[in-house]
Amino acid sequence: RTLLEGADGRLWLGTRSKGVLRLTFAANANPIVERFEMAEGLPNPSDNRVYDFNGELLLATHRGLYRFDEAGHRFVPDPRFARLFPQDRWVMGLRPDAGGRIWMHAVDEARNLRETGAAQPQGDGTYRWVPTPPLPLTVTDNDLSTWADPDGVVWFGSPDGIFRYDPAVPKDYQQTFRALVRGVTRGTRTIFGGAGTEPPLTLNYADKALRFEFAATS
């Protein structure tokens, strides 16, 4: 699924279900192929994706971010991101920006929570998770791609569409606001909103799968 050429000319490959491969090329010979799986430190053989981070390999896994320990010939958790989340998350779609942040998509599989945000560098070399700016993203699929422009604008591509985040636009994320409910539907049936409808005092149990449409005044 992902490819990365290292500074030494070797090629790293992240696969869908067969761990990570490393290809070492030699003149007039077939490349040497190494496979890294759970015996070599991977938390899961599936969905391991390789990314470039300032010229080094960063591996996104079902249990956070890993780096390769050449001396031990195995993958180990990257200590810089050890406190990024309160518990392990499946991460993907990594993209560093000009400000040193690493944008990514993170899934808490235990709680079925999906967040898109940035790992913000701290003074001690570690990173802090900041999910607030792209919080409105409606992401229903794990295959999210990310691109950071040199001017700081970040793009997110997903099956739900393309989203653009511009950090130059000032916004107070702590500002309070009033939410106005504009419609409630179940499937194609309108429960509240539109002409001639009134909110019922009770709902049948079969009406539990609801879709809310709402707006804010600012």
Side-chain angles (χ1 to χ4, degrees):
R1 288 293 193 271
T2 51
L3 297 168
L4 172 65
E5 183 180 9
D8 56 5
R10 291 191 285 193
L11 188 65
W12 291 94
L13 298 86
T15 72
R16 176 67 179 82
S17 60
K18 300 292 184 181
V20 177
L21 302 178
R22 180 168 68 173
L23 276 64
T24 302
F25 299 92
N28 303 319
N30 291 329
I32 300 171
V33 180
E34 301 170 274
R35 186 183 298 276
F36 301 88
E37 297 189 90
M38 294 181 69
E40 290 75 34
L42 295 184
N44 191 311
S46 300
D47 303 310
N48 294 284
R49 309 184 187 199
V50 295
Y51 296 97
D52 174 71
F53 177 55
N54 296 329
E56 62 176 295
L57 168 70
L58 201 57
L59 182 69
T61 76
H62 276 267
R63 296 185 62 183
L65 296 169
Y66 279 57
R67 63 178 179 84
F68 186 68
D69 178 16
E70 189 69 57
H73 200 68
R74 61 187 292 106
F75 282 95
V76 296
D78 194 316
R80 294 172 296 183
F81 306 96
R83 300 196 302 270
L84 198 59
F85 306 109
Q87 57 191 33
D88 292 330
R89 288 194 185 185
W90 178 18
V91 294
M92 65 204 74
L94 274 63
R95 180 69 62 175
D97 67 10
R101 296 172 296 189
I102 309 174
W103 294 90
M104 66 184 77
H105 185 49
V107 181
D108 185 332
E109 297 180 274
R111 296 189 295 159
N112 195 28
L113 170 68
R114 290 170 167 81
E115 284 187 332
T116 301
Q120 181 76 39
Q122 305 299 293
D124 60 357
T126 62
Y127 286 78
R128 178 175 62 90
W129 180 242
V130 181
T132 306
L135 197 61
L137 286 180
T138 305
V139 178
T140 59
D141 191 275
N142 293 329
D143 286 325
L144 184 86
S145 57
T146 313
W147 179 264
D149 287 340
D151 61 0
V153 171
V154 184
W155 298 84
F156 304 97
S158 81
D160 296 316
I162 296 177
F163 304 87
R164 180 180 184 271
Y165 166 61
D166 186 353
V169 177
K171 185 173 179 62
D172 180 9
Y173 292 102
Q174 305 303 319
Q175 177 183 351
T176 59
F177 60 91
R178 298 186 61 170
L180 309 176
V181 177
R182 292 311 194 196
V184 184
T185 58
R186 183 182 72 87
T188 58
R189 174 192 167 195
T190 299
I191 297 176
F192 167 70
T197 62
E198 295 293 336
L201 296 177
T202 60
L203 286 173
N204 295 324
Y205 179 76
D207 292 328
K208 61 184 180 178
L210 305 177
R211 177 183 178 90
F212 291 84
E213 296 183 13
F214 57 92
T217 56
S218 63

